[in-house]
Amino acid sequence: MQKPQQYRHKEIKKNSKRNKKRIKTPKTTIKMPNDYKVSVRLKKDLIRGLGKHSHHRAAVKMLPTFVRATPDGTEKGDYLALDLGGTNFRVLYVRVVEEQQKVVKMDSKICSIPQEMMLGTGEQLFDHIAQCLGEFLESQDLKGQTLPLGFTFSFPCEQKEIDKSILIRWTKGFSCSGVEGQDVVKLLKEAIHRRGDYDIGSVAMVNDTVGTMMSCGYRDQSCEIGMIIGTGTNACYMEEIKNVKRVEGEDGRMCINTEWGGFGDDGSLKDILTEFDEVVDQTSINPGVHTFEKMISGMYLGEIVRLLLVKMAEDKLLFKGETSEALLTPGQFETKYISEIEDGLENAQKILTALGLNWDPVDACVVRLVCDTISSRSARLCAAALATISNRIRVNRGLDHLKTTVGVDGTVYRKHPNFSEELQAAVRLLAPKCDITFLVSEDGSGKGAAMVTAVAQRIWLPGCMLSFIFLPIFVYI
Ligand code: BGC
């Protein structure tokens, strides 16, 4: 990738800003990573993940999704959608209305997933999902119908067919036994059959990034990238099939779930990891896994800030050298505090008081600066990754200039006061030849999953075969 002149110029400016942002403690310096270097490394990893023989050792998995087209606006019908990817599980009843080119949520239900269940057995988890779905169908008087179902399962899966999806590994605090290496659709169907009081129609498995891209694609047909920056982080995009070496075929495009959260798992980001990142990783339930995600996403940002504050207090740079029980407790500094603190000093003061800390006005300002450093790092890492993908799409198509749309979702992106601005500004510098529109998804994990199912149904209608989206021609290796 050629380093644009404009970028070099801005980089010098940014570096001087960054230098100011460095937070020095006697033994530690946190500095902003070199976004450009990160982008160049990811570019190589994307190619490795797509390769037939390099895929198995690639940190960035680049998983084929078999989604070969975005919506064309003729989709219609009633669908169920399930959404599992965080601490809540959702069931939705969705109607896709062709005339209005709209996806309408008829009703939905949220079931919480208790911590014990996230770490329990797969059977318990899927029984809970089946129960929640059963109660919802009962309440909607839908138990007698067998509606097609879109299942947003936001974990890395090797998709064999649209309704066959093998979990590679759990992320985001889940670790249910007996699910890794298994077909998730089979586990869901088995749980439903164990109950025996209702059934479901055909199932389409969807990653949340794909749902996000598809739900935005209904509004803007140039949406070819889906990105999530929430509890976890990830992106998908439309890749040329000829480059997806594990799938047969030369023509057309296929959506690839990058699973960029795994970037760095082979040690490629070692030089930009701080001691705080290392502690977060070591104390997580999946050490060594999803390195990039642990520097970026909502599940981890609060904990990085907490560890930094503890260190600074211990080094007598904050709170008169004192800590508090809450500050010393893992998980007590929530990621939402970062947004709140950056939103205003008054919030910072309230939060520090609630954490039982003996703060003065300078402490509050320093804490705010720490939050800003960590959230900026996250935004710029995401920007580097997104710029890599956009540049790749542009070069793939032999274009001098690419105009494209990214469908985005996730609490970090939506809720943080300046995360989206910072990310967009950094992408503009790193991908100056890409003109990117950011579209916040309207419930990609729910409505998007229904949309994927609707498009899947459309392509099986007689006469529509040529506009296929799902074609299970996976080359098993
Ligand atoms: C998962 C991805 C998911 C992302 C955002 C990651 O932990 O591996 O599949 O898309 O979180 O939810």
Side-chain angles (χ1 to χ4, degrees):
M1 189 190 306
Q2 215 191 349
K3 196 172 185 176
Q5 190 64 37
Q6 177 201 11
Y7 179 72
R8 260 183 261 148
H9 167 71
K10 290 269 173 72
E11 187 183 44
I12 294 162
K13 269 172 117 184
K14 277 276 170 192
N15 270 339
S16 57
K17 191 176 160 204
R18 259 181 242 161
N19 287 340
K20 271 190 233 147
K21 280 192 174 180
R22 280 182 189 179
I23 297 164
K24 292 204 173 180
T25 69
K27 292 183 212 126
T28 312
T29 303
I30 285 237
K31 52 181 173 173
M32 302 301 282
N34 185 331
D35 332 4
Y36 187 76
K37 197 161 68 182
V38 168
S39 178
V40 171
R41 288 178 196 171
L42 181 61
K43 186 182 168 194
K44 286 191 192 136
D45 276 13
L46 298 188
I47 296 167
R48 194 171 299 145
L50 288 171
K52 192 165 182 172
H53 303 295
S54 49
H55 166 82
H56 66 281
R57 56 190 152 82
V60 183
K61 286 288 169 213
M62 305 295 280
L63 303 165
T65 63
F66 299 98
V67 172
R68 290 176 177 241
T70 43
D72 72 357
T74 64
E75 294 77 10
K76 58 180 174 196
D78 284 3
Y79 302 90
L80 292 171
L82 304 185
D83 173 20
L84 179 72
T87 44
N88 285 325
F89 164 71
R90 280 188 317 150
V91 190
L92 299 96
Y93 176 38
V94 170
R95 180 159 295 163
V96 180
V97 190
E98 184 189 7
E99 303 79 52
Q100 296 163 33
Q101 299 230 330
K102 258 201 336 209
V103 186
V104 187
K105 184 173 85 182
M106 309 299 283
D107 216 330
S108 67
K109 174 183 164 85
I110 296 183
C111 302
S112 70
I113 311 262
Q115 176 83 14
E116 319 81 76
M117 199 169 276
M118 290 166 75
L119 305 173
T121 67
E123 198 168 301
Q124 281 165 345
L125 176 71
F126 283 93
D127 280 346
H128 182 64
I129 292 174
Q131 182 188 338
C132 186
L133 175 56
E135 285 167 6
F136 179 71
L137 293 176
E138 179 83 65
S139 71
Q140 300 292 310
D141 210 12
L142 289 172
K143 257 191 167 166
Q145 300 193 30
T146 48
L147 292 172
L149 181 145
F151 188 5
T152 305
F153 187 73
S154 308
F155 301 95
C157 286
E158 187 75 83
Q159 194 124 1
K160 300 286 187 189
E161 289 169 26
I162 188 60
D163 60 351
K164 187 165 185 198
S165 199
I166 314 290
L167 176 66
I168 297 174
R169 64 182 175 214
W170 286 113
T171 58
K172 295 178 286 193
F174 276 78
S175 185
C176 300
S177 59
V179 188
E180 287 181 353
Q182 300 298 313
D183 174 12
V184 179
V185 177
K186 188 164 164 266
L187 295 178
L188 173 69
K189 284 187 172 163
E190 281 171 2
I192 291 172
H193 292 152
R194 272 196 291 279
R195 294 173 55 90
D197 58 341
Y198 68 90
D199 210 352
I200 50 170
S202 56
V203 177
M205 282 296 289
V206 188
N207 184 265
D208 50 356
T209 53
V210 183
T212 297
M213 182 186 82
M214 294 295 263
S215 69
C216 290
Y218 206 59
R219 285 189 278 158
D220 173 349
Q221 287 173 12
S222 57
C223 181
E224 295 174 294
I225 303 178
M227 177 172 76
I228 303 281
I229 313 165
T231 310
T233 185
N234 190 14
C236 69
Y237 72 102
M238 297 304 286
E239 174 62 85
E240 310 303 308
I241 291 196
K242 65 178 187 309
N243 295 334
V244 189
K245 305 293 185 203
R246 296 192 303 140
V247 168
E248 268 175 12
E250 284 295 310
D251 300 328
R253 296 182 182 137
M254 180 180 281
C255 178
I256 295 294
N257 167 13
T258 66
E259 287 295 337
W260 76 21
F263 180 32
D265 288 2
D266 55 1
S268 68
L269 295 176
K270 224 172 172 35
D271 58 329
I272 64 161
L273 290 177
T274 66
E275 62 183 86
F276 310 105
D277 296 313
E278 273 154 22
V279 174
V280 164
D281 179 47
Q282 285 309 312
T283 52
S284 69
I285 60 165
N286 54 355
V289 164
H290 263 40
T291 309
F292 195 55
E293 173 161 287
K294 286 172 181 163
M295 299 169 85
I296 290 174
S297 76
M299 175 128 195
Y300 308 98
L301 290 185
E303 188 59 6
I304 299 176
V305 169
R306 186 190 72 80
L307 290 166
L308 235 154
L309 298 183
V310 169
K311 169 91 173 155
M312 291 176 79
E314 283 171 359
D315 288 347
K316 308 217 174 338
L317 294 165
L318 272 177
F319 317 130
K320 302 167 194 67
E322 292 165 26
T323 55
S324 69
E325 203 187 319
L327 189 69
L328 290 175
T329 310
Q332 286 294 298
F333 192 98
E334 294 179 39
T335 295
K336 69 173 185 199
Y337 296 165
I338 297 180
S339 300
E340 290 167 9
I341 289 173
E342 284 188 57
D343 216 13
L345 266 181
E346 265 179 30
N347 296 343
Q349 296 169 353
K350 276 189 205 139
I351 289 167
L352 295 179
T353 306
L355 288 170
L357 290 159
N358 182 8
W359 57 271
D360 65 26
V362 176
D363 288 336
C365 291
V366 174
V367 169
R368 197 172 175 201
L369 190 57
V370 171
C371 291
D372 176 48
T373 305
I374 298 306
S375 63
S376 293
R377 182 182 72 153
S378 163
R380 299 175 68 89
L381 285 170
C382 276
L386 182 59
T388 315
I389 289 180
S390 315
N391 277 325
R392 181 172 171 86
I393 297 178
R394 183 182 63 77
V395 173
N396 271 347
R397 298 185 190 171
L399 296 173
D400 184 49
H401 190 267
L402 174 78
K403 195 166 167 15
T404 193
T405 298
V406 183
V408 201
D409 209 347
T411 42
V412 174
Y413 187 88
R414 278 173 181 275
K415 301 265 167 76
H416 186 280
N418 47 291
F419 190 95
S420 54
E421 268 169 41
E422 190 148 9
L423 182 145
Q424 291 177 23
V427 174
R428 275 194 292 275
L429 295 179
L430 287 158
K433 292 183 176 175
C434 301
D435 175 3
I436 304 175
T437 303
F438 290 80
L439 203 58
V440 174
S441 143
E442 281 171 22
D443 193 5
S445 301
K447 293 180 186 173
M451 182 50 74
V452 176
T453 322
V455 181
Q457 299 250 311
R458 162 168 67 82
I459 59 136
W460 298 119
L461 293 176
C464 295
M465 290 300 283
L466 288 177
S467 57
F468 52 82
I469 66 162
F470 298 109
L471 214 51
I473 45 168
F474 200 77
V475 182
Y476 296 94
I477 51 168

mmCIF file of all heavy atoms in Angstrom, residues 232-268:
data_model
loop_
_atom_site.group_PDB
_atom_site.id
_atom_site.type_symbol
_atom_site.label_atom_id
_atom_site.label_comp_id
_atom_site.label_asym_id
_atom_site.label_seq_id
_atom_site.Cartn_x
_atom_site.Cartn_y
_atom_site.Cartn_z
ATOM 1 N N GLY A 232 -18.175 -6.998 21.313
ATOM 2 C CA GLY A 232 -17.053 -7.518 20.518
ATOM 3 C C GLY A 232 -16.868 -6.642 19.293
ATOM 4 O O GLY A 232 -17.599 -5.657 19.107
ATOM 5 N N THR A 233 -15.906 -6.977 18.464
ATOM 6 C CA THR A 233 -15.764 -6.222 17.206
ATOM 7 C C THR A 233 -15.457 -7.160 16.051
ATOM 8 O O THR A 233 -14.828 -8.221 16.230
ATOM 9 C CB THR A 233 -14.684 -5.120 17.310
ATOM 10 O OG1 THR A 233 -14.706 -4.362 16.092
ATOM 11 C CG2 THR A 233 -13.284 -5.674 17.525
ATOM 12 N N ASN A 234 -15.911 -6.747 14.868
ATOM 13 C CA ASN A 234 -15.741 -7.589 13.680
ATOM 14 C C ASN A 234 -16.235 -6.828 12.462
ATOM 15 O O ASN A 234 -16.897 -5.785 12.599
ATOM 16 C CB ASN A 234 -16.582 -8.870 13.863
ATOM 17 C CG ASN A 234 -16.314 -9.942 12.812
ATOM 18 O OD1 ASN A 234 -15.329 -9.873 12.091
ATOM 19 N ND2 ASN A 234 -17.189 -10.935 12.748
ATOM 20 N N ALA A 235 -15.901 -7.327 11.261
ATOM 21 C CA ALA A 235 -16.437 -6.737 10.031
ATOM 22 C C ALA A 235 -16.568 -7.804 8.964
ATOM 23 O O ALA A 235 -15.858 -8.821 8.997
ATOM 24 C CB ALA A 235 -15.509 -5.628 9.535
ATOM 25 N N CYS A 236 -17.495 -7.565 8.036
ATOM 26 C CA CYS A 236 -17.612 -8.423 6.852
ATOM 27 C C CYS A 236 -17.628 -7.511 5.634
ATOM 28 O O CYS A 236 -17.883 -6.312 5.764
ATOM 29 C CB CYS A 236 -18.896 -9.251 6.911
ATOM 30 S SG CYS A 236 -20.400 -8.268 6.724
ATOM 31 N N TYR A 237 -17.343 -8.067 4.469
ATOM 32 C CA TYR A 237 -17.375 -7.256 3.241
ATOM 33 C C TYR A 237 -17.542 -8.174 2.034
ATOM 34 O O TYR A 237 -17.347 -9.394 2.134
ATOM 35 C CB TYR A 237 -16.082 -6.414 3.107
ATOM 36 C CG TYR A 237 -14.882 -7.255 2.752
ATOM 37 C CD1 TYR A 237 -14.389 -7.296 1.438
ATOM 38 C CD2 TYR A 237 -14.257 -8.037 3.715
ATOM 39 C CE1 TYR A 237 -13.297 -8.093 1.104
ATOM 40 C CE2 TYR A 237 -13.169 -8.832 3.387
ATOM 41 C CZ TYR A 237 -12.699 -8.858 2.089
ATOM 42 O OH TYR A 237 -11.629 -9.654 1.764
ATOM 43 N N MET A 238 -17.897 -7.588 0.894
ATOM 44 C CA MET A 238 -18.085 -8.375 -0.326
ATOM 45 C C MET A 238 -16.738 -8.540 -1.039
ATOM 46 O O MET A 238 -16.145 -7.558 -1.479
ATOM 47 C CB MET A 238 -19.105 -7.687 -1.257
ATOM 48 C CG MET A 238 -20.505 -7.571 -0.681
ATOM 49 S SD MET A 238 -21.278 -9.130 -0.158
ATOM 50 C CE MET A 238 -21.678 -9.890 -1.731
ATOM 51 N N GLU A 239 -16.283 -9.786 -1.113
ATOM 52 C CA GLU A 239 -14.982 -10.105 -1.721
ATOM 53 C C GLU A 239 -15.227 -10.774 -3.081
ATOM 54 O O GLU A 239 -16.266 -11.414 -3.289
ATOM 55 C CB GLU A 239 -14.215 -11.032 -0.768
ATOM 56 C CG GLU A 239 -12.903 -11.595 -1.237
ATOM 57 C CD GLU A 239 -11.831 -10.544 -1.529
ATOM 58 O OE1 GLU A 239 -11.122 -10.105 -0.595
ATOM 59 O OE2 GLU A 239 -11.710 -10.175 -2.720
ATOM 60 N N GLU A 240 -14.283 -10.634 -3.996
ATOM 61 C CA GLU A 240 -14.373 -11.315 -5.291
ATOM 62 C C GLU A 240 -14.212 -12.821 -5.046
ATOM 63 O O GLU A 240 -13.247 -13.236 -4.385
ATOM 64 C CB GLU A 240 -13.251 -10.861 -6.235
ATOM 65 C CG GLU A 240 -13.087 -9.364 -6.377
ATOM 66 C CD GLU A 240 -14.336 -8.657 -6.849
ATOM 67 O OE1 GLU A 240 -14.907 -9.070 -7.876
ATOM 68 O OE2 GLU A 240 -14.745 -7.689 -6.179
ATOM 69 N N ILE A 241 -15.130 -13.614 -5.593
ATOM 70 C CA ILE A 241 -15.075 -15.060 -5.333
ATOM 71 C C ILE A 241 -13.741 -15.666 -5.781
ATOM 72 O O ILE A 241 -13.195 -16.559 -5.138
ATOM 73 C CB ILE A 241 -16.254 -15.792 -6.002
ATOM 74 C CG1 ILE A 241 -17.514 -15.391 -5.263
ATOM 75 C CG2 ILE A 241 -16.064 -17.320 -5.972
ATOM 76 C CD1 ILE A 241 -18.701 -16.241 -5.497
ATOM 77 N N LYS A 242 -13.199 -15.138 -6.852
ATOM 78 C CA LYS A 242 -11.930 -15.729 -7.349
ATOM 79 C C LYS A 242 -10.811 -15.612 -6.303
ATOM 80 O O LYS A 242 -9.851 -16.374 -6.334
ATOM 81 C CB LYS A 242 -11.513 -15.104 -8.685
ATOM 82 C CG LYS A 242 -11.173 -13.631 -8.638
ATOM 83 C CD LYS A 242 -10.735 -13.192 -10.039
ATOM 84 C CE LYS A 242 -10.207 -11.787 -10.125
ATOM 85 N NZ LYS A 242 -10.997 -10.710 -9.555
ATOM 86 N N ASN A 243 -10.964 -14.688 -5.360
ATOM 87 C CA ASN A 243 -9.937 -14.543 -4.309
ATOM 88 C C ASN A 243 -10.209 -15.419 -3.087
ATOM 89 O O ASN A 243 -9.373 -15.523 -2.201
ATOM 90 C CB ASN A 243 -9.872 -13.090 -3.821
ATOM 91 C CG ASN A 243 -9.406 -12.146 -4.904
ATOM 92 O OD1 ASN A 243 -8.707 -12.579 -5.811
ATOM 93 N ND2 ASN A 243 -9.798 -10.890 -4.821
ATOM 94 N N VAL A 244 -11.426 -15.989 -3.029
ATOM 95 C CA VAL A 244 -11.775 -16.827 -1.876
ATOM 96 C C VAL A 244 -11.389 -18.252 -2.252
ATOM 97 O O VAL A 244 -12.170 -18.997 -2.828
ATOM 98 C CB VAL A 244 -13.292 -16.720 -1.538
ATOM 99 C CG1 VAL A 244 -13.601 -17.425 -0.216
ATOM 100 C CG2 VAL A 244 -13.735 -15.274 -1.475
ATOM 101 N N LYS A 245 -10.163 -18.606 -1.956
ATOM 102 C CA LYS A 245 -9.596 -19.833 -2.529
ATOM 103 C C LYS A 245 -10.239 -21.104 -1.994
ATOM 104 O O LYS A 245 -10.077 -22.174 -2.562
ATOM 105 C CB LYS A 245 -8.085 -19.888 -2.280
ATOM 106 C CG LYS A 245 -7.337 -18.672 -2.791
ATOM 107 C CD LYS A 245 -7.378 -18.610 -4.316
ATOM 108 C CE LYS A 245 -6.524 -17.455 -4.825
ATOM 109 N NZ LYS A 245 -6.919 -16.998 -6.148
ATOM 110 N N ARG A 246 -10.980 -21.003 -0.882
ATOM 111 C CA ARG A 246 -11.604 -22.223 -0.350
ATOM 112 C C ARG A 246 -12.985 -22.460 -0.947
ATOM 113 O O ARG A 246 -13.663 -23.415 -0.612
ATOM 114 C CB ARG A 246 -11.698 -22.142 1.170
ATOM 115 C CG ARG A 246 -10.312 -22.103 1.820
ATOM 116 C CD ARG A 246 -10.397 -22.303 3.302
ATOM 117 N NE ARG A 246 -11.235 -21.351 3.954
ATOM 118 C CZ ARG A 246 -12.068 -21.637 4.941
ATOM 119 N NH1 ARG A 246 -12.182 -22.854 5.383
ATOM 120 N NH2 ARG A 246 -12.791 -20.688 5.505
ATOM 121 N N VAL A 247 -13.428 -21.548 -1.800
ATOM 122 C CA VAL A 247 -14.745 -21.702 -2.428
ATOM 123 C C VAL A 247 -14.535 -21.805 -3.931
ATOM 124 O O VAL A 247 -13.751 -21.047 -4.509
ATOM 125 C CB VAL A 247 -15.635 -20.481 -2.077
ATOM 126 C CG1 VAL A 247 -16.886 -20.455 -2.921
ATOM 127 C CG2 VAL A 247 -15.996 -20.495 -0.602
ATOM 128 N N GLU A 248 -15.233 -22.731 -4.540
ATOM 129 C CA GLU A 248 -15.091 -22.889 -5.985
ATOM 130 C C GLU A 248 -15.775 -21.757 -6.711
ATOM 131 O O GLU A 248 -16.775 -21.224 -6.226
ATOM 132 C CB GLU A 248 -15.742 -24.204 -6.426
ATOM 133 C CG GLU A 248 -14.780 -25.353 -6.449
ATOM 134 C CD GLU A 248 -15.477 -26.656 -6.766
ATOM 135 O OE1 GLU A 248 -16.655 -26.631 -7.194
ATOM 136 O OE2 GLU A 248 -14.855 -27.705 -6.562
ATOM 137 N N GLY A 249 -15.286 -21.416 -7.884
ATOM 138 C CA GLY A 249 -15.950 -20.396 -8.695
ATOM 139 C C GLY A 249 -15.038 -19.220 -8.949
ATOM 140 O O GLY A 249 -14.114 -18.954 -8.190
ATOM 141 N N GLU A 250 -15.330 -18.539 -10.036
ATOM 142 C CA GLU A 250 -14.468 -17.437 -10.475
ATOM 143 C C GLU A 250 -15.238 -16.133 -10.537
ATOM 144 O O GLU A 250 -14.668 -15.064 -10.375
ATOM 145 C CB GLU A 250 -13.923 -17.742 -11.889
ATOM 146 C CG GLU A 250 -12.797 -18.767 -11.903
ATOM 147 C CD GLU A 250 -11.539 -18.278 -11.200
ATOM 148 O OE1 GLU A 250 -11.085 -17.157 -11.511
ATOM 149 O OE2 GLU A 250 -11.029 -18.989 -10.316
ATOM 150 N N ASP A 251 -16.581 -16.249 -10.757
ATOM 151 C CA ASP A 251 -17.335 -15.029 -11.015
ATOM 152 C C ASP A 251 -18.142 -14.583 -9.809
ATOM 153 O O ASP A 251 -18.587 -15.403 -9.012
ATOM 154 C CB ASP A 251 -18.324 -15.263 -12.179
ATOM 155 C CG ASP A 251 -17.571 -15.661 -13.431
ATOM 156 O OD1 ASP A 251 -16.435 -15.184 -13.594
ATOM 157 O OD2 ASP A 251 -18.122 -16.464 -14.206
ATOM 158 N N GLY A 252 -18.339 -13.315 -9.731
ATOM 159 C CA GLY A 252 -19.210 -12.762 -8.692
ATOM 160 C C GLY A 252 -18.489 -12.517 -7.382
ATOM 161 O O GLY A 252 -17.261 -12.628 -7.287
ATOM 162 N N ARG A 253 -19.286 -12.194 -6.373
ATOM 163 C CA ARG A 253 -18.724 -11.845 -5.066
ATOM 164 C C ARG A 253 -19.376 -12.658 -3.972
ATOM 165 O O ARG A 253 -20.473 -13.181 -4.146
ATOM 166 C CB ARG A 253 -18.982 -10.362 -4.776
ATOM 167 C CG ARG A 253 -18.271 -9.502 -5.771
ATOM 168 C CD ARG A 253 -18.447 -8.032 -5.506
ATOM 169 N NE ARG A 253 -17.735 -7.336 -6.575
ATOM 170 C CZ ARG A 253 -18.179 -6.282 -7.227
ATOM 171 N NH1 ARG A 253 -19.336 -5.745 -6.903
ATOM 172 N NH2 ARG A 253 -17.468 -5.742 -8.176
ATOM 173 N N MET A 254 -18.690 -12.749 -2.858
ATOM 174 C CA MET A 254 -19.272 -13.410 -1.684
ATOM 175 C C MET A 254 -18.921 -12.595 -0.444
ATOM 176 O O MET A 254 -17.818 -12.043 -0.348
ATOM 177 C CB MET A 254 -18.738 -14.831 -1.535
ATOM 178 C CG MET A 254 -19.344 -15.532 -0.328
ATOM 179 S SD MET A 254 -18.758 -17.209 -0.110
ATOM 180 C CE MET A 254 -19.732 -18.080 -1.303
ATOM 181 N N CYS A 255 -19.860 -12.532 0.469
ATOM 182 C CA CYS A 255 -19.595 -11.821 1.716
ATOM 183 C C CYS A 255 -18.650 -12.665 2.587
ATOM 184 O O CYS A 255 -18.896 -13.847 2.811
ATOM 185 C CB CYS A 255 -20.915 -11.553 2.441
ATOM 186 S SG CYS A 255 -20.653 -10.737 4.003
ATOM 187 N N ILE A 256 -17.587 -12.040 3.046
ATOM 188 C CA ILE A 256 -16.621 -12.720 3.912
ATOM 189 C C ILE A 256 -16.719 -12.138 5.321
ATOM 190 O O ILE A 256 -16.654 -10.916 5.506
ATOM 191 C CB ILE A 256 -15.177 -12.509 3.371
ATOM 192 C CG1 ILE A 256 -15.004 -13.176 2.009
ATOM 193 C CG2 ILE A 256 -14.119 -13.026 4.355
ATOM 194 C CD1 ILE A 256 -15.096 -14.683 2.012
ATOM 195 N N ASN A 257 -16.895 -13.021 6.281
ATOM 196 C CA ASN A 257 -16.856 -12.612 7.689
ATOM 197 C C ASN A 257 -15.382 -12.647 8.105
ATOM 198 O O ASN A 257 -14.813 -13.720 8.282
ATOM 199 C CB ASN A 257 -17.703 -13.600 8.509
ATOM 200 C CG ASN A 257 -17.476 -13.439 10.009
ATOM 201 O OD1 ASN A 257 -16.884 -12.447 10.456
ATOM 202 N ND2 ASN A 257 -17.948 -14.395 10.785
ATOM 203 N N THR A 258 -14.783 -11.470 8.254
ATOM 204 C CA THR A 258 -13.321 -11.436 8.478
ATOM 205 C C THR A 258 -12.917 -12.025 9.820
ATOM 206 O O THR A 258 -11.853 -12.599 9.953
ATOM 207 C CB THR A 258 -12.776 -9.994 8.422
ATOM 208 O OG1 THR A 258 -13.312 -9.245 9.515
ATOM 209 C CG2 THR A 258 -13.074 -9.321 7.102
ATOM 210 N N GLU A 259 -13.761 -11.842 10.873
ATOM 211 C CA GLU A 259 -13.369 -12.173 12.253
ATOM 212 C C GLU A 259 -12.062 -11.462 12.600
ATOM 213 O O GLU A 259 -11.115 -12.065 13.097
ATOM 214 C CB GLU A 259 -13.260 -13.695 12.453
ATOM 215 C CG GLU A 259 -14.610 -14.396 12.506
ATOM 216 C CD GLU A 259 -15.489 -14.010 13.705
ATOM 217 O OE1 GLU A 259 -14.951 -13.539 14.729
ATOM 218 O OE2 GLU A 259 -16.732 -14.158 13.595
ATOM 219 N N TRP A 260 -12.064 -10.124 12.351
ATOM 220 C CA TRP A 260 -10.836 -9.359 12.586
ATOM 221 C C TRP A 260 -10.457 -9.274 14.054
ATOM 222 O O TRP A 260 -9.332 -8.901 14.385
ATOM 223 C CB TRP A 260 -10.869 -8.004 11.882
ATOM 224 C CG TRP A 260 -11.710 -6.897 12.478
ATOM 225 C CD1 TRP A 260 -12.153 -6.769 13.764
ATOM 226 C CD2 TRP A 260 -12.159 -5.722 11.780
ATOM 227 N NE1 TRP A 260 -12.862 -5.601 13.905
ATOM 228 C CE2 TRP A 260 -12.883 -4.934 12.714
ATOM 229 C CE3 TRP A 260 -12.024 -5.245 10.475
ATOM 230 C CZ2 TRP A 260 -13.470 -3.713 12.380
ATOM 231 C CZ3 TRP A 260 -12.609 -4.022 10.151
ATOM 232 C CH2 TRP A 260 -13.323 -3.275 11.079
ATOM 233 N N GLY A 261 -11.364 -9.664 14.928
ATOM 234 C CA GLY A 261 -11.047 -9.690 16.363
ATOM 235 C C GLY A 261 -9.846 -10.579 16.667
ATOM 236 O O GLY A 261 -9.131 -10.378 17.637
ATOM 237 N N GLY A 262 -9.604 -11.582 15.802
ATOM 238 C CA GLY A 262 -8.500 -12.519 16.023
ATOM 239 C C GLY A 262 -7.157 -11.997 15.533
ATOM 240 O O GLY A 262 -6.121 -12.635 15.748
ATOM 241 N N PHE A 263 -7.162 -10.833 14.885
ATOM 242 C CA PHE A 263 -5.918 -10.214 14.388
ATOM 243 C C PHE A 263 -4.946 -10.073 15.577
ATOM 244 O O PHE A 263 -5.325 -9.588 16.636
ATOM 245 C CB PHE A 263 -6.297 -8.851 13.795
ATOM 246 C CG PHE A 263 -5.173 -8.041 13.216
ATOM 247 C CD1 PHE A 263 -4.066 -8.641 12.620
ATOM 248 C CD2 PHE A 263 -5.251 -6.650 13.227
ATOM 249 C CE1 PHE A 263 -3.056 -7.867 12.066
ATOM 250 C CE2 PHE A 263 -4.247 -5.876 12.684
ATOM 251 C CZ PHE A 263 -3.142 -6.477 12.101
ATOM 252 N N GLY A 264 -3.719 -10.509 15.383
ATOM 253 C CA GLY A 264 -2.716 -10.397 16.462
ATOM 254 C C GLY A 264 -2.571 -11.678 17.269
ATOM 255 O O GLY A 264 -1.653 -11.795 18.078
ATOM 256 N N ASP A 265 -3.460 -12.643 17.061
ATOM 257 C CA ASP A 265 -3.365 -13.889 17.853
ATOM 258 C C ASP A 265 -2.090 -14.668 17.541
ATOM 259 O O ASP A 265 -1.695 -15.548 18.309
ATOM 260 C CB ASP A 265 -4.585 -14.802 17.608
ATOM 261 C CG ASP A 265 -5.852 -14.245 18.254
ATOM 262 O OD1 ASP A 265 -5.771 -13.144 18.856
ATOM 263 O OD2 ASP A 265 -6.916 -14.890 18.157
ATOM 264 N N ASP A 266 -1.461 -14.362 16.410
ATOM 265 C CA ASP A 266 -0.183 -15.016 16.078
ATOM 266 C C ASP A 266 1.007 -14.159 16.516
ATOM 267 O O ASP A 266 2.137 -14.398 16.107
ATOM 268 C CB ASP A 266 -0.110 -15.272 14.567
ATOM 269 C CG ASP A 266 -0.323 -13.982 13.763
ATOM 270 O OD1 ASP A 266 -0.509 -12.904 14.381
ATOM 271 O OD2 ASP A 266 -0.299 -14.040 12.521
ATOM 272 N N GLY A 267 0.750 -13.151 17.331
ATOM 273 C CA GLY A 267 1.846 -12.328 17.860
ATOM 274 C C GLY A 267 2.162 -11.109 17.008
ATOM 275 O O GLY A 267 3.057 -10.330 17.338
ATOM 276 N N SER A 268 1.405 -10.902 15.923
ATOM 277 C CA SER A 268 1.762 -9.813 15.000
ATOM 278 C C SER A 268 1.548 -8.417 15.595
ATOM 279 O O SER A 268 2.009 -7.431 15.019
ATOM 280 C CB SER A 268 0.993 -9.949 13.685
ATOM 281 O OG SER A 268 -0.379 -9.708 13.914
#
